[in-house]
Amino acid sequence: MENKLIVSSSPHLRANESISKIMRDVVIALLPATLAGVYYFRMGAVKVILSAVIAAVLTEAAIQKISKKRVTINDWSAVVTGLLLAFNIPASAPWWLPAIGSIFAIFIVKQVFGGIGHNFMNPALAARAMLLASWPVQMTAWVKPGTDAVSTATPLAIVGGEASGQALPSFMDLIVGNVGGCIGETSAILLIIGGIYLVYRGVITPRIPVIYIATVAVMSFLLGGFDISYMVYQVFAGGLMLGAIYMATDYASSPVTEKGQIIFAVGCGFLTAIIRIYGGYPEGVSYSILLMNVATPLIEKYTRPRVFGEVK
Amino acid sequence: MKLLSFRGGVHPPHRKKATEKLAVIKANEPKVVYIPLQQHIGAPCEALVKVGDEVKVGQKIGEASAFVSAPIHSSVSGKVKKIAKMKTPTGEATCIVIESDGLNTVHESVLPKGDISELSGKEILEIVKEAGIVGLGGAAFPTHVKFSPPPDTNIDTIILNGAECEPYLTADHRLMLEDPESIVYGLKAMMKIVNVKKAYIGIEDNKKDAIEKMLECVKNEEGISIVALKTKYPQGAEKQLIYACTQREVPSGGLPMAVGVIVNNVGTAAAIATAIKTGMPLVERIATITGSGIKEPKNLLIKVGTLFNEIIEQCGGYNGTPGKVIMGGPMMGLAQHTDDVPAIKGTSGILVLSPEEARLPEPEQCIKCGKCVEICPAFLQPVYISAYGLKDMYDKAEEYRALDCIECGSCSFICPSKRPLLHSIRVAKREIIAKKKKSK
Ligand code: SF4
Ligand code: SF4
């Protein structure tokens, strides 16, 4: 029997966790908002979501095949990237737009740098930025929720004054997502429910989302002339919930230390508020997170935690 | 009662149900015992007997040759058959092989030592040393060494570890239920050695009955408090336990005595009580024999030197093919190459896992989820230490304070990518220490 015994160093017990379980949880968390997107934007949303997810998964499989690596599409991470990218695109976009975005996200941002865990930027956000720079018209062609695809402006553009003359949607519409915008960034409440699920499942800690959102709230209150309703719109409209809960918490492109995460989240919130209020552009979430992604290695370098028993 | 704890840690499944309600029973008398002359880090003992000698229970058969060492005693009466190198749970060591005559004649030297009220601290320390008492939690560090602080250290607290935070194991739990008096007696002996007035017994709150029992037992004792601890791994790790009980942080690289504390296992306290009350040195201990690979899990009182396979046989034998045989618990225990090794003083349990449970998971790429950082009870960043270690960048690993790792295994446990974090950190630690030695 001797040689049959397995000998390895401790621990001999592993938690019942895996990459695919985590990624599947993220997909589950995004499901309510996905359904809401489809409900509000009908076939347009379906087309964008399918195109983004299928392209992401196929790209991942193709690259891993070609480079003779183990194909890991069943870890669900490509699905997450595709879905998140789709959330960042308006429902009116042509089908090839999300596909190009997904190919870019998986190929350039994820696999070129070594695959899962090695992307220094959030792949979906980097792809969104690329699409926005290349096809600005298609990427901002907002439509009103419903079947008739009437064009509209996002609530943030209305509050910010970039789209004057349009009526601001009611707070209730804002919360449930009955407003113009990208597919996934409309329903704040469903995104929050998904976020609570992720915290409950231990996939993320509330640290980054809460601090990020709080920073935006405080800054827009202070800089927005102490106007509560302005602050509320800044917090619940646009991509803040999506960005703070699902994008800024991307494992590979955010710090792992507690202090690092706090700095990262405050930085995201600060930049978002500044871009929204002083920039000529109503949204600021994607660029803020991308900028902080780039700063992450530096933040980590200077936030090594105090070791137990260490006197500093 | 407010539950005390430390920061970090994980929640492995308890898996204690199989044995927590089973009273300790005496194991069958072994026919032959194999007693290693080295059972812990430090110097091996020198044999005091030769082949052919008659020995009795409690007779000293190995003399500690250095300070960080503890003498060993025969656990049976009979004849020395052989003195030879053989495999032990911790590697390889010279063993004294004794054939038992089945009579268990007690050696003349085994006599009650009196009561702690009459003995001086010095005398008690000498009894502890002579009885070969070591830490029974698993590491088996000689107890008398812990109680010999340098003259300028001020010890004010003793903590007994009854946390038993390792999954599966229930030996300490049973001891607390079945013989709390001995634990308290041993604790009082310890308090006398270093002349302290304050002591804690820390117990995880998944052992409510043990907490109650111990509370009952110390109700008239002054200075001894029972501390209910949050059930979390590694609650019983020395530094984490000290923090939970006293909020003191043992300085990095330092020993518990640096903050005035000495920590011992509850089993060690009971062994001291036995050594004082009856004079019997440490020749047997309680161990939990459990896991899905064991037919009838049990808590057994086993004699040091009994072979694992003999012990397992008494528990109904293996349940199918064993996948892994571990001495100790699943988090810090040592996987064995064979079951043909003798139980030693540090054998707190024998855990047998099925082949499926034992199969090593395929490591995947680190996804930088930060879970290992979040839970490390030493506040380290296992992900980076491990990564640098794997790239042979040991200087970097040291910069990330690899040496502060307490090897609890929580990081490997939690990692969703099943990365061998602790394993690589151990390698890095070894390299760093080797380099330090060389440059000295
Ligand atoms: S827990 Fe594993 S996957 Fe997560 S950061 Fe640590 S090593 Fe990487
Ligand atoms: S790095 Fe060391 S101390 Fe930290 S969790 Fe891993 S094994 Fe435990």
Side-chain angles (χ1 to χ4, degrees):
Chain A
M1 64 160 293
E2 249 109 281
N3 2 3
K4 280 205 226 114
L5 286 182
I6 295 173
V7 178
S8 64
S9 87
S10 64
H12 310 287
L13 192 62
R14 299 298 187 96
N16 187 15
E17 298 229 18
S18 66
I19 301 178
S20 55
K21 224 168 139 186
I22 291 175
M23 295 301 162
R24 209 161 44 219
D25 268 340
V26 179
V27 174
I28 292 172
L30 289 171
L31 223 49
T34 309
L35 293 177
V38 171
Y39 172 76
Y40 289 128
F41 300 114
R42 313 294 153 98
M43 281 321 283
V46 174
K47 181 186 65 194
V48 169
I49 292 169
L50 283 181
S51 160
V53 171
I54 293 172
V57 173
L58 289 182
T59 310
E60 178 124 311
I63 293 168
Q64 287 174 331
K65 263 259 152 60
I66 292 166
S67 57
K68 302 217 160 52
K69 279 196 236 156
R70 197 153 59 91
V71 177
T72 57
I73 48 170
N74 54 2
D75 74 5
W76 289 75
S77 68
V79 176
V80 169
T81 301
L83 199 53
L84 283 176
L85 176 64
F87 271 36
N88 277 291
I89 293 176
S92 60
W95 69 269
W96 48 263
L97 198 74
I100 291 179
S102 278
I103 295 170
F104 177 83
I106 298 289
F107 180 42
I108 307 287
V109 190
K110 185 177 176 188
Q111 291 298 344
V112 164
F113 286 96
I116 194 164
H118 291 273
N119 51 294
F120 71 96
M121 275 185 184
N122 183 316
L125 279 186
R128 176 197 175 147
M130 183 279 287
L131 293 179
L132 195 57
S134 316
W135 291 276
V137 179
Q138 286 89 334
M139 282 296 285
T140 52
W142 316 118
V143 284
K144 271 214 172 82
T147 34
D148 41 356
V150 179
S151 71
T152 183
T154 63
L156 272 188
I158 303 170
V159 206
E162 283 91 351
S164 50
Q166 296 224 27
L168 202 55
S170 75
F171 180 65
M172 202 50 213
D173 278 343
L174 190 63
I175 292 285
V176 298
N178 194 19
V179 293
C182 294
I183 293 169
E185 62 183 36
T186 52
S187 173
I189 197 82
L190 294 180
L191 290 171
I192 292 173
I193 290 172
I196 292 171
Y197 174 76
L198 289 184
V199 170
Y200 166 73
R201 299 281 291 170
V203 174
I204 59 171
T205 67
R207 207 175 287 136
I208 291 179
V210 168
I211 296 177
Y212 186 171
I213 294 166
T215 308
V216 171
V218 170
M219 294 249 327
S220 37
F221 185 65
L222 293 181
L223 300 175
F226 304 96
D227 180 348
I228 299 264
S229 91
Y230 177 78
M231 179 189 91
V232 168
Y233 275 86
Q234 286 297 340
V235 169
F236 289 99
L240 181 58
M241 291 299 157
L242 180 62
I245 301 172
Y246 302 93
M247 309 282 212
T249 52
D250 175 52
Y251 289 152
S253 55
S254 65
V256 293
T257 60
E258 183 181 347
K259 232 196 290 164
Q261 291 178 351
I262 295 173
I263 296 174
F264 176 88
V266 169
C268 285
F270 180 81
L271 290 174
T272 301
I274 295 292
I275 295 175
R276 281 183 175 181
I277 296 169
Y278 298 111
Y281 182 67
E283 255 304 351
V285 172
S286 336
Y287 290 119
S288 311
I289 298 176
L290 286 174
L291 275 171
M292 293 310 290
N293 284 166
V294 176
T296 292
L298 203 68
I299 296 175
E300 285 216 313
K301 198 167 160 196
Y302 291 105
T303 54
R304 187 174 66 73
R306 183 192 69 93
V307 166
F308 185 94
E310 181 185 10
V311 250
K312 263 204 178 153
Chain B
M1 202 185 274
K2 196 177 145 268
L3 296 182
L4 299 178
S5 196
F6 62 99
R7 211 188 85 200
V10 291
H11 297 275
H14 301 175
R15 310 241 167 104
K16 291 178 190 265
K17 288 251 158 12
T19 53
E20 66 188 1
K21 297 248 151 49
L22 301 181
V24 177
I25 48 178
K26 231 175 146 56
N28 296 343
E29 199 53 35
K31 296 216 169 48
V32 183
V33 289
Y34 307 76
I35 304 180
L37 284 168
Q38 180 165 29
Q39 307 199 3
H40 48 75
I41 42 163
C45 284
E46 274 154 34
L48 294 178
V49 290
K50 354 178 254 314
V51 175
D53 281 4
E54 294 283 339
V55 295
K56 292 177 184 161
V57 181
Q59 181 179 342
K60 201 198 272 183
I61 54 173
E63 180 64 287
S65 53
F67 181 64
V68 184
S69 183
I72 57 164
H73 304 79
S74 178
S75 53
V76 294
S77 61
K79 198 185 231 152
V80 178
K81 295 272 290 180
K82 208 160 80 173
I83 299 178
K85 263 211 156 42
M86 60 178 274
K87 279 209 178 113
T88 71
T90 53
E92 210 185 38
T94 306
C95 292
I96 298 185
V97 183
I98 305 164
E99 195 175 50
S100 170
D101 56 16
L103 300 174
N104 275 331
T105 323
V106 174
H107 194 248
E108 304 71 55
S109 65
V110 178
L111 292 169
K113 305 286 192 239
D115 193 79
I116 41 176
S117 55
E118 297 143 23
L119 295 163
S120 73
K122 244 203 163 109
E123 284 166 329
I124 298 175
L125 183 60
E126 193 54 31
I127 296 169
V128 169
K129 187 173 167 193
E130 277 305 301
I133 290 172
V134 299
L136 293 187
F141 189 76
T143 304
H144 69 92
V145 181
K146 277 194 183 177
F147 281 95
S148 312
D152 54 342
T153 19
N154 182 19
I155 305 290
D156 62 7
T157 307
I158 292 190
I159 298 176
L160 282 194
N161 183 358
E164 201 161 52
C165 58
E166 274 273 10
Y168 290 97
L169 302 187
T170 54
D172 292 346
H173 185 181
R174 290 314 306 180
L175 176 69
M176 289 188 280
L177 287 178
E178 295 175 33
D179 194 9
E181 293 82 17
S182 289
I183 296 173
V184 174
Y185 191 89
L187 173 58
K188 279 162 49 188
M190 293 176 182
M191 291 164 76
K192 185 138 188 195
I193 300 177
V194 277
N195 190 23
V196 307
K197 299 276 168 287
K198 203 164 62 204
Y200 299 96
I201 304 177
I203 307 167
E204 279 191 344
D205 81 318
N206 61 351
K207 295 178 262 294
K208 294 229 160 50
D209 48 354
I211 295 176
E212 259 163 51
K213 199 75 179 213
M214 293 306 304
L215 271 174
E216 174 70 29
C217 198
V218 299
K219 107 177 152 251
N220 299 320
E221 304 290 346
E222 225 170 283
I224 302 179
S225 355
I226 306 297
V227 182
L229 304 166
K230 211 163 146 187
T231 303
K232 185 165 78 167
Y233 181 85
Q235 193 62 263
E238 213 165 52
K239 294 180 179 185
Q240 279 59 37
L241 183 63
I242 294 172
Y243 183 80
C245 292
T246 66
Q247 274 71 54
R248 296 181 199 168
E249 261 187 40
V250 177
S252 156
L255 291 172
M257 46 173 92
V259 290
V261 182
I262 294 175
V263 180
N264 276 286
N265 185 267
V266 284
T268 313
I272 292 178
T274 309
I276 296 172
K277 285 194 208 158
T278 68
M280 183 56 80
L282 182 55
V283 294
E284 55 185 11
R285 66 156 301 143
I286 304 173
T288 305
I289 323 302
T290 188
S292 64
I294 295 281
K295 274 226 179 85
E296 299 159 28
K298 282 180 183 155
N299 294 304
L300 287 181
L301 181 67
I302 52 172
K303 288 194 162 176
V304 171
T306 316
L307 289 180
F308 275 28
N309 45 30
E310 237 183 284
I311 298 170
I312 291 165
E313 208 45 55
Q314 291 173 48
C315 298
Y318 290 118
N319 196 2
T321 323
K324 208 182 228 184
V325 174
I326 299 159
M327 179 178 89
M331 297 301 285
M332 293 186 84
L334 291 173
Q336 301 297 315
H337 291 271
T338 158
D339 60 6
D340 206 16
V341 288
I344 55 176
K345 293 174 183 175
T347 306
S348 52
I350 301 173
L351 170 62
V352 181
L353 301 179
S354 69
E356 298 82 70
E357 291 171 317
R359 201 172 14 185
L360 297 177
E362 192 65 41
E364 301 197 50
Q365 287 209 59
C366 166
I367 53 170
K368 251 190 105 219
C369 67
K371 284 182 199 286
C372 54
V373 180
E374 200 83 32
I375 56 84
C376 175
F379 313 163
L380 301 172
Q381 303 181 63
V383 47
Y384 293 127
I385 302 178
S386 161
Y388 285 124
L390 291 174
K391 283 189 211 140
D392 295 341
M393 294 164 70
Y394 299 118
D395 288 344
K396 271 293 205 189
E398 192 184 355
E399 226 174 86
Y400 277 88
R401 306 191 72 112
L403 295 184
D404 280 292
C405 167
I406 59 168
E407 306 198 9
C408 67
S410 301
C411 48
S412 300
F413 170 79
I414 202 79
C415 177
S417 294
K418 315 285 173 209
R419 303 207 47 85
L421 291 166
L422 171 54
H423 182 70
S424 54
I425 294 172
R426 270 200 193 108
V427 174
K429 279 175 81 174
R430 211 162 44 223
E431 293 289 331
I432 295 166
I433 293 169
K435 211 168 114 200
K436 281 208 160 142
K437 277 211 182 109
K438 230 192 269 162
S439 63
K440 248 182 214 157

